[in-house]
Amino acid sequence: MIARLVLALGAEAKIDVVPGSAEYALPFTTLEHALKVESELKMLERGRFGKKSPPIQVAIVGLGYSGVELAATISERLKNTGTVKAINFQTTICPNAPPGNREAALKVLESQNIQLFLGYSVNCIREVYASEDSGSMVADAKEAGGGDKKLVLELQAAQRGLQSQVLEADLVLWTVGSQSQILRLQPPDAPYVIPLNGRGQVETEETLQVKGHPRTFAIGDSAALRDPSGKFLPANAQVAFQQADFAGWNLWAAINDRPLLPFRFQNLGEMMTLGRNDAAITANFIEGLTLEGPIGHAARKLVYCLRMPTDEHRVKVGISWFAKGAVDSLASLQTAVSNIIASS
């Protein structure tokens, strides 16, 4: 039997973009990254317990889908104990999102008093320490006398009419840029065996076969595929999900000497979560319709549940969501009771 190969390695965060970003910023593309962010937030919350503690400051670089969802979720979590500063190179958020989703997201960010720095790029990130005597920020820990550590982001104006900014933060999250993991397969100093574009993605035919290698397929973030207008398809789950169906069929067809199908992407719309009980969903097949708020949140969960591969998966996901909702409700009730007791 002739072997076939499918390249579906996904992408990894491109974190070493500016001085200090790889050292001081945290990416957010894997489960390990999410657990690391959760751990850092818990440490900050424990260290700032008490009414007189300074607010926690979180800076988020990049306001695409991941950055916006992070900003909304973290701001909701911190509430009155911290602030979120969100930085984006463009003068708008989610520039490639449907207008309805973008407007709904901007409304949520503004309602949560998230500080938006639009039209800025990060020049560098450095570590400083607060002097225990004067409260001033210095670069040397010894000179600070063991003061609190802070991160400083130097922002450069990317648009005319804006002034450079210097921001302080306790935690910096980096959601800008990604790179295909295909490059990890390439031996150092060896010629490329498979054709790659400038972004490190595999060049493919319409059938998802790698150009020059008909027994190899590439899908998802690993593949560079264009729509009929010549634009690259977005690197998101919806595209990869549909490519998987075509790749599966074409693998079967290749094995059984049947004609292969050219991939055709069907844009069904886009969704984003904007907090615990808030979301936005725009369906491409209903022009001008955007569901937002609690209704959007419920619709998003329903869509995700329906997209599960089997009924068993749908039941497990549904039970998990129901249990989490019950636990969150009990936690909110307990917090409310504690606040009443404390104020009486």
Side-chain angles (χ1 to χ4, degrees):
M1 179 180 290
I2 299 175
R4 265 83 178 181
L5 174 67
V6 177
L7 300 174
L9 298 176
E12 61 182 352
K14 192 175 182 180
I15 193 70
D16 55 342
V17 180
V18 300
S21 58
E23 187 175 359
Y24 300 118
L26 296 180
F28 196 78
T29 56
T30 67
L31 176 59
E32 288 75 16
H33 294 158
L35 293 174
K36 176 65 175 176
V37 171
E38 172 68 12
S39 174
E40 291 291 327
L41 282 172
K42 284 184 176 179
M43 285 179 60
L44 288 169
E45 288 167 338
R46 286 195 296 266
R48 304 296 172 85
F49 185 77
K51 293 182 178 180
K52 294 183 179 181
S53 300
I56 297 169
Q57 299 182 83
V58 178
I60 297 173
V61 183
L63 284 173
Y65 276 106
S66 296
V68 167
E69 291 180 338
L70 263 178
T73 301
I74 292 177
S75 178
E76 183 181 68
R77 170 175 175 163
L78 295 179
K79 293 182 180 178
N80 299 324
T81 64
T83 60
V84 173
K85 304 170 184 179
I87 305 137
N88 202 44
F89 182 81
Q90 290 93 351
T91 55
T92 184
I93 67 171
C94 295
N96 299 320
N101 274 13
R102 185 164 54 248
E103 292 166 8
L106 187 59
K107 191 188 308 180
V108 169
L109 298 186
E110 290 176 343
S111 70
Q112 295 185 3
N113 296 319
I114 293 171
Q115 298 177 30
L116 298 177
F117 295 86
L118 303 179
Y120 286 95
S121 60
V122 178
N123 243 5
C124 74
I125 305 173
R126 52 192 173 86
E127 190 178 58
V128 296
Y129 295 84
S131 172
E132 291 182 338
D133 297 328
S134 63
S136 60
M137 306 305 292
V138 297
D140 194 324
K142 293 180 180 178
E143 186 180 338
D148 292 336
K149 181 179 69 174
K150 284 280 187 181
L151 298 175
V152 170
L153 295 85
E154 296 182 4
L155 307 188
Q156 179 179 354
Q159 305 292 332
R160 289 183 179 180
L162 298 175
Q163 300 295 323
S164 298
Q165 302 273 355
V166 177
L167 307 181
E168 289 183 10
D170 299 294
L171 179 65
V172 178
L173 305 180
W174 195 274
T175 68
V176 180
S178 63
Q179 57 189 7
S180 171
Q181 296 203 68
I182 289 293
L183 296 173
R184 290 181 175 272
L185 300 179
Q186 180 66 22
D189 303 323
Y192 286 117
V193 177
I194 52 179
L196 303 177
N197 66 3
R199 300 189 296 181
Q201 295 172 304
V202 180
E203 296 281 359
T204 66
E205 307 288 356
E206 286 188 316
T207 54
L208 303 177
Q209 292 167 295
V210 176
K211 290 184 177 181
H213 301 270
R215 294 201 300 272
T216 303
F217 296 78
I219 62 174
D221 293 336
S222 300
L225 202 62
R226 300 176 186 268
D227 62 18
S229 68
K231 294 182 179 179
F232 280 109
L233 291 174
N236 59 32
Q238 184 180 183
V239 173
F241 199 98
Q242 294 182 33
Q243 285 177 334
D245 286 340
F246 276 81
W249 171 267
N250 284 346
L251 279 168
W252 178 87
I255 293 170
N256 291 279
D257 295 323
R258 301 290 184 89
L260 276 62
L261 297 176
F263 175 69
R264 293 292 181 265
F265 173 59
Q266 183 181 4
N267 187 356
L268 303 176
E270 296 184 16
M271 304 184 295
M272 58 169 34
T273 180
L274 297 168
R276 185 178 299 173
N277 297 304
D278 207 333
I281 176 170
T282 297
N284 194 54
F285 48 86
I286 305 178
E287 187 175 352
L289 175 65
T290 298
L291 301 177
E292 55 184 287
I295 295 176
H297 174 73
R300 176 181 170 276
K301 280 196 167 184
L302 178 62
V303 170
Y304 268 114
C305 196
L306 292 175
R307 296 297 282 177
M308 291 292 106
T310 66
D311 289 337
E312 182 181 357
H313 286 93
R314 296 184 188 102
V315 170
K316 286 182 178 179
V317 168
I319 292 174
S320 173
W321 283 340
F322 177 80
K324 185 178 184 302
V327 170
D328 289 344
S329 297
L330 288 173
S332 299
L333 179 60
Q334 184 179 12
T335 301
V337 171
S338 298
N339 290 336
I340 293 172
I341 295 173
S343 60
S344 62

